[in-house]
Amino acid sequence: MEEITSKNFIHAFIEEDIAEGGRYAGQTVHTRFPPEPNGYLHIGHCKALIIDFGTAEKFGGLCNLRMDDTNPTKEDVEFVEAIKEDIHWLGFDWEDRFYYGSDYFEKDYEYAVELIKKGLAYVCELTPDEFKEFRGDLNTPAKSPWRDRPIEESLDLFARMRAGEFEDNKYTLRAKIDLASGNFNMRDPVIYRIRHMHHHRQGDKWCIYPMYDFAHPIQDALEGITHSLCSLEFENHRPLYNWVVENVSVPHHPRQIEFARLGIDHTVLSKRYLRALVEEGYVAGWDDPRMPTLCGMRRRGFTPASIRNFCERVGVAKSPNTIPLAFLDFCLREDLNESAARVMAVLKPIKLTITNYPEGQSETVEVENNPNRPEDGVRQITFSRNLWIEADDFLAEPIPKYKRLFPDGPECRLKGAYLIKCTGYNTDENGNITEVLATYDPDSRGGDPADGRKVKGATIHWVDAETAVDAEVRLYDNLFNAAEPDTSSMESLVKDLNPNSLEILTNCKVEASLKDAKAPASYQFMRLGYFCPDSKDCTAEHLVFNRCVSLKDSFKPQ
Ligand code: ATP
Ligand code: MG
């Protein structure tokens, strides 16, 4: 985790840029977050969000939200709304600066015409196959027989491309840069292509669409972005980004800075694959609590604080990094340990009868809501002769070192209530244990012996069978068994799925205080982990809890 301590190089660059004599001396730092609305945001996007919005915040600047809908495919209103909701949930706000990349199509077109007029762009008519053939290699420059097409001719053809005279791929508009460049992005890149496709916002107004590498710098420049922060795969595109802002008459010259994408083990962070998992039914939806999407994580019980904290500690690195999923759990556990109320729930119940407690009698005992927050006080829970305990807190035949209940075993503490001793058990005709029997010490109310004797057994949790509420509990494990899921094809990816990533327990018993539980809320089920009511399926009639994270910590910071 060396990144945690390393200096944030983006902030260092920006400090230089806004200092006296710097390229943006005296200007407001202005960034943007440009998601493509073709899926839901995932934890990788959070890193970008925190870099974009967080950097603006740090420098007292602004950050725009811009839907990158330059491509006329797959965008969907559902995704636009979900992206906005997720960003607000994380605690960031774009105020009134919400844009669509497609809003600049007219401007993109004008700047393309400007390039043609300057002799810096030409209409090329290589077919896609010829284009590949003439691409050249490191030792051979690319070729285009159309490079020296007269300006007037290119202007005319480009206007007719827009007017819809030609079929897809018949012509392209290419920037005239350098066919021999070692950077293939600079070998006269295509900046416009013909696509007779409907655009979700522009309708059928356009049949030519700008390429991202041309449209993106223009969008940034028109919005007055000073620092265009993006992930590392755009590093080789930076010369083209700069070429565009230098050669068209845009009002601002933003600077592109790249950072490494966030990778996390045991999951995939690519909308394409996440989408396929949803569409092919391997998960219950984008918000399935096993998904690394923000809506999935929210439903799983992640808090904005835990996610922001995670991203901040992972840091901003220039080199690619894969972070253990366990570290994400660690950040959540740390947050919930502070904030979550402690309650009692029994996931795999077995009946416990306190044989010397009078039938029909009941009392209340007090338990602390959160030992980390004494100000949260205590609550009353009922206690009676009939309780539920965890089935594995009893063994008919003890194993070595077993300190919980077994016949004639050690005295155990029922959390917050009394000391008990197991005296025996009952079975059904098949020999299955149906009931554990115990006696209690009436002088140990609260859980401590009156005479100060040492309690040798464990403290176990329980719920009162008279008042307990039934619940369904969903336990989650890693979505993928493989640390690095094989993304070479969907088929191989599916092979790496963990078939046991979801376990549903339907016969759970939770204390009565949870009968109105509703998301968002999180609880520590004592001895079991952190749980939250499921935001979709939990109702007063049918309680459903998700395990956010177990208590056990498998992450060891170095
Ligand atoms: P995906 O592969 O999931 O589709 P993308 O880059 O196509 O990702 P966009 O919607 O274009 O998704 O991403 C918006 C912003 O989020 C971009 O600036 C992109 O660089 C950034 N981003 C996406 N994934 C990650 C990641 N894993 N780590 C950091 N930043 C990311
Ligand atoms: Mg993208």
Side-chain angles (χ1 to χ4, degrees):
M1 237 40 35
E2 77 190 79
E3 293 80 14
I4 289 176
T5 49
S6 76
K7 188 172 159 108
N8 182 336
F9 70 94
I10 294 179
H11 293 171
F13 280 159
I14 295 180
E15 265 161 27
E16 252 170 54
D17 288 347
I18 58 175
E20 218 180 300
R23 67 168 96 182
Y24 305 120
Q27 284 186 48
T28 300
V29 171
H30 204 147
T31 61
R32 85 287 169 269
F33 177 67
E36 198 176 342
N38 59 352
Y40 284 68
L41 297 183
H42 54 61
I43 177 86
H45 293 114
C46 280
K47 175 172 176 183
L49 271 165
I50 285 170
I51 291 176
D52 294 329
F53 281 93
T55 300
E57 231 165 59
K58 176 181 159 71
F59 289 97
L62 303 168
C63 181
N64 296 0
L65 174 60
R66 184 196 313 140
M67 295 296 148
D68 162 26
D69 60 352
T70 312
N71 263 324
T73 49
K74 289 193 205 133
E75 281 87 1
D76 200 313
V77 199
E78 173 197 350
F79 297 134
V80 172
E81 290 312 312
I83 289 170
K84 287 176 159 179
E85 184 188 347
D86 285 346
I87 297 175
H88 274 153
W89 177 69
L90 270 184
F92 295 117
D93 191 19
W94 53 90
E95 296 166 333
D96 58 350
R97 296 177 309 280
F98 175 70
Y99 304 101
Y100 284 94
S102 61
D103 288 347
Y104 306 106
F105 279 171
E106 198 62 56
K107 280 284 180 193
D108 295 333
Y109 183 81
E110 282 171 25
Y111 289 127
V113 168
E114 178 186 349
L115 285 179
I116 302 174
K117 286 184 177 160
K118 288 176 170 168
L120 291 175
Y122 58 97
V123 171
C124 181
E125 50 188 283
L126 290 180
T127 62
D129 284 341
E130 286 169 334
F131 198 92
K132 273 191 210 118
E133 191 186 325
F134 292 158
R135 210 169 153 255
D137 55 35
L138 274 181
N139 305 312
T140 326
K143 284 187 297 204
S144 169
W146 314 102
R147 200 167 200 251
D148 296 314
R149 192 193 282 281
I151 289 174
E152 285 311 317
E153 213 175 290
S154 280
L155 282 174
D156 174 60
L157 283 172
F158 190 50
R160 290 164 60 198
M161 281 164 67
R162 177 179 183 170
E165 279 189 37
F166 312 115
E167 75 267 24
D168 286 5
N169 296 328
K170 168 88 176 138
Y171 293 107
T172 55
L173 183 70
R174 295 177 70 176
K176 195 169 178 177
I177 306 179
D178 179 6
L179 287 176
S181 175
N183 180 342
F184 280 57
N185 295 313
M186 299 297 273
R187 291 192 170 189
D188 289 11
V190 171
I191 58 176
Y192 261 93
R193 67 235 200 279
I194 304 175
R195 287 280 181 282
H196 288 271
M197 279 178 86
H198 186 81
H199 189 280
H200 80 126
R201 296 194 78 242
Q202 302 289 324
D204 297 313
K205 180 169 178 202
W206 296 91
C207 61
I208 54 170
Y209 289 96
M211 301 299 286
Y212 184 80
D213 280 346
F214 179 63
H216 189 74
I218 291 174
Q219 295 159 5
D220 283 346
L222 289 173
E223 289 176 16
I225 301 304
T226 54
H227 295 89
S228 180
L229 312 174
C230 62
S231 38
L232 216 50
E233 69 270 23
F234 293 102
E235 193 172 28
N236 285 332
H237 298 244
R238 191 186 337 130
L240 180 51
Y241 184 101
N242 290 338
W243 186 90
V244 173
V245 295
E246 278 156 23
N247 286 291
V248 299
S249 52
V250 284
H252 299 277
H253 286 194
R255 172 180 185 184
Q256 174 177 309
I257 303 173
E258 309 85 16
F259 56 85
R261 285 173 92 88
L262 171 68
I264 298 185
D265 65 13
H266 297 286
T267 192
V268 290
L269 295 183
S270 153
K271 274 180 287 185
R272 194 156 69 87
Y273 287 114
L274 295 176
R275 187 184 183 111
L277 290 174
V278 172
E279 285 173 358
E280 295 175 28
Y282 292 102
V283 292
W286 286 97
D287 64 351
D288 186 300
R290 293 165 292 180
M291 291 280 273
T293 49
L294 285 187
C295 53
M297 293 172 72
R298 176 158 68 236
R299 192 168 164 196
R300 174 78 171 261
F302 276 85
T303 55
S306 60
I307 296 178
R308 288 179 68 155
N309 206 344
F310 168 79
C311 289
E312 266 144 35
R313 284 150 100 171
V314 161
V316 182
K318 185 83 188 174
S319 54
N321 46 0
T322 301
I323 306 295
L325 190 59
F327 184 54
L328 193 54
D329 287 347
F330 172 88
C331 292
L332 178 59
R333 195 180 287 117
E334 194 180 62
D335 186 25
L336 296 182
N337 181 37
E338 280 303 311
S339 59
R342 272 60 173 166
V343 296
M344 290 202 273
V346 174
L347 299 193
K348 296 180 179 165
I350 188 167
K351 224 167 123 179
L352 171 71
T353 304
I354 312 288
T355 52
N356 60 339
Y357 193 89
E359 263 179 78
Q361 186 175 312
S362 164
E363 65 186 284
T364 56
V365 295
E366 247 177 34
V367 290
E368 224 177 341
N369 281 325
N370 186 344
N372 291 331
R373 295 162 56 98
E375 67 273 24
D376 288 357
V378 294
R379 75 183 178 291
Q380 311 285 328
I381 54 176
T382 65
F383 179 86
S384 72
R385 178 182 165 94
N386 301 309
L387 309 175
W388 294 110
I389 58 166
E390 215 64 67
D392 68 4
D393 280 337
F394 170 78
L395 282 182
E397 303 281 343
I399 50 172
K401 295 198 180 147
Y402 190 74
K403 293 239 171 56
R404 291 172 270 167
L405 299 172
F406 56 88
D408 299 322
E411 201 169 28
C412 288
R413 180 181 283 116
L414 288 177
K415 176 76 189 171
Y418 287 100
L419 296 174
I420 58 166
K421 267 181 88 68
C422 176
T423 53
Y425 60 94
N426 289 321
T427 57
D428 61 15
E429 60 273 20
N430 301 319
N432 297 319
I433 297 165
T434 52
E435 181 181 24
V436 177
L437 304 172
T439 54
Y440 86 119
D441 170 5
D443 290 332
S444 62
R445 202 179 134 85
D448 288 313
D451 61 4
R453 70 183 178 275
K454 197 162 182 303
V455 178
K456 299 217 178 74
T459 297
I460 64 177
H461 62 276
W462 55 277
V463 292
D464 180 4
E466 307 299 329
T467 57
V469 186
D470 289 329
E472 173 180 328
V473 172
R474 300 171 182 170
L475 304 178
Y476 300 101
D477 197 352
N478 296 346
L479 185 53
F480 291 94
N481 273 330
E484 208 180 317
D486 181 351
T487 53
S488 54
S489 70
M490 193 55 196
E491 205 184 14
S492 56
L493 186 65
V494 164
K495 286 207 187 98
D496 282 343
L497 281 168
N498 173 7
N500 304 315
S501 58
L502 169 62
E503 185 186 352
I504 299 180
L505 304 174
T506 49
N507 187 32
C508 312
K509 310 286 180 187
V510 301
E511 65 170 68
S513 71
L514 292 177
K515 72 179 192 314
D516 298 318
K518 270 205 290 294
S522 16
Y523 303 95
Q524 186 193 96
F525 287 3
M526 271 185 224
R527 297 173 69 217
L528 298 172
Y530 295 96
F531 293 78
C532 67
D534 186 79
S535 55
K536 263 195 178 153
D537 300 338
C538 184
T539 62
E541 292 71 44
H542 180 67
L543 290 176
V544 180
F545 291 92
N546 294 320
R547 182 170 68 194
C548 322
V549 66
S550 64
L551 285 179
K552 199 179 93 240
D553 183 8
S554 59
F555 178 76
K556 302 266 170 294
Q558 277 130 32

